Amino acid sequence: MQLERKEQWEQAAVIALNLGRQLLICGADVKRAEDTAERICRSYGAQTTEIFCIGSLLMATVEWSDGSTFTQVRNITRTGYDLARLEALNNLSRDICDKTVTLETARNRLTALRTPSAQKKIVSYLAAIVAVTAYTIFFGGTWTDALVAAIGGILVTALEAILPEKAGVMMRTVLCAVAVGITVGVGSLIYPALQGDKVMIGSIMLMVPGLMVAGSLRDLLNGDIIAGSLQLVQAVLIALALALGLAWAASWTVIA
């Protein structure tokens, strides 16, 4: 009986850490991930829980009622924003804490939620076209500029889907910025009156790390200085990668 209970404790702790990791990947703040993992462990009888997260690392030590401890670490290699998965993970965490599902069912549901939420590719491309068109017009571009920006937005979306995760966020950002620069250069050759600056501004809005900056400020205000600072530094580096990619393309492409 004691052995079964200990196995249940360990399984609950593993699920708590894995769920916290998935929350961070989907864009949840550090406090949310730590609090969720702690609540799950406590709902299964943890006496003390020490959870530490800095955005790219989630570590927990759990002490159970019999004095045994459990320690594991999770590495968060990539983060983004997937609100559909985030809501599903929050619902799952509530079900686990309320014990309306078994740990086996919870583990299966969590495994199913590891993949990004189902979304037709056409929706991503349409959203990119609408976004870049709106930004280009907003910043003073014409409908012709918006058309070229839409092409750049399609290229950025396609590259984000094609480039492997191991390429790294910096390399993906540079390549996407180069694609935008080439699009603007070719468009300027075909249509000399093209406002290249407006097209670039509209196209790169898909890659500007605005949500990342907001997330870093949120963590800083919550007192998570290390996590907030690391995320802010990453946002700055992504902005520099954007500038580098555009400058590289502009150096050998005629931009009006």
Side-chain angles (χ1 to χ4, degrees):
M1 187 66 179
Q2 184 66 23
L3 181 60
E4 292 180 0
R5 176 178 291 184
K6 190 171 183 179
E7 290 178 353
Q8 185 185 50
W9 288 343
E10 291 183 356
Q11 187 178 2
V14 169
I15 291 175
L17 279 175
N18 289 339
L19 201 151
R21 178 177 183 272
Q22 290 301 315
L23 286 173
L24 291 169
I25 291 175
C26 293
D29 59 279
V30 170
K31 287 292 187 184
R32 172 69 63 84
E34 291 178 345
D35 183 65
T36 299
E38 182 177 354
R39 286 176 181 271
I40 293 175
C41 291
R42 287 190 177 276
S43 68
Y44 277 89
Q47 297 298 307
T48 59
T49 55
E50 301 293 339
I51 301 176
F52 176 71
C53 179
I54 58 172
S56 60
L57 178 70
L58 179 63
M59 180 173 59
T61 297
V62 184
E63 182 179 354
W64 304 102
S65 57
D66 63 347
S68 61
T69 58
F70 177 88
T71 301
Q72 280 199 358
V73 177
R74 295 292 184 273
N75 183 31
I76 295 88
T77 56
R78 183 177 183 180
T79 58
Y81 293 91
D82 192 332
L83 299 184
R85 286 174 64 197
L86 190 59
E87 182 180 5
L89 290 167
N90 284 329
N91 292 334
L92 176 57
S93 67
R94 295 187 186 97
D95 291 341
I96 296 174
C97 291
D98 294 337
K99 297 185 179 179
T100 57
V101 296
T102 63
L103 290 176
E104 183 67 24
T105 302
R107 183 172 58 187
N108 293 335
R109 285 175 58 180
L110 183 58
T111 301
L113 289 171
R114 286 180 180 175
T115 56
S117 56
Q119 177 176 284
K120 294 181 179 179
K121 292 183 179 180
I122 187 65
V123 176
S124 300
Y125 288 110
L126 288 176
I129 291 172
V130 172
V132 300
T133 300
Y135 277 118
T136 303
I137 298 298
F138 176 79
F139 286 110
T142 64
W143 286 104
T144 303
D145 301 329
L147 176 61
V148 178
I151 297 174
I154 293 173
L155 288 176
V156 169
T157 305
L159 284 173
E160 285 285 354
I162 293 173
L163 292 174
E165 183 177 341
K166 62 182 180 180
V169 62
M170 303 301 294
M171 181 58 65
R172 291 197 304 271
T173 302
V174 170
L175 292 178
C176 288
V178 169
V180 170
I182 293 175
T183 302
V184 175
V186 174
S188 299
L189 293 176
I190 297 175
Y191 183 67
L194 185 74
Q195 301 180 75
D197 56 338
K198 304 298 190 300
V199 177
M200 284 191 293
I201 292 173
S203 298
I204 66 173
M205 291 305 292
L206 294 176
M207 299 175 284
V208 172
L211 286 175
M212 186 175 293
V213 173
S216 67
L217 295 178
R218 175 191 60 198
D219 289 337
L220 289 171
L221 292 174
N222 285 335
D224 297 305
I225 305 300
I226 298 177
S229 300
L230 290 176
Q231 196 171 14
L232 183 60
V233 170
Q234 185 179 7
V236 172
L237 291 176
I238 290 175
L240 291 176
L242 274 174
L244 176 63
L246 290 174
W248 186 21
S251 65
W252 47 273
T253 305
V254 177
I255 298 180

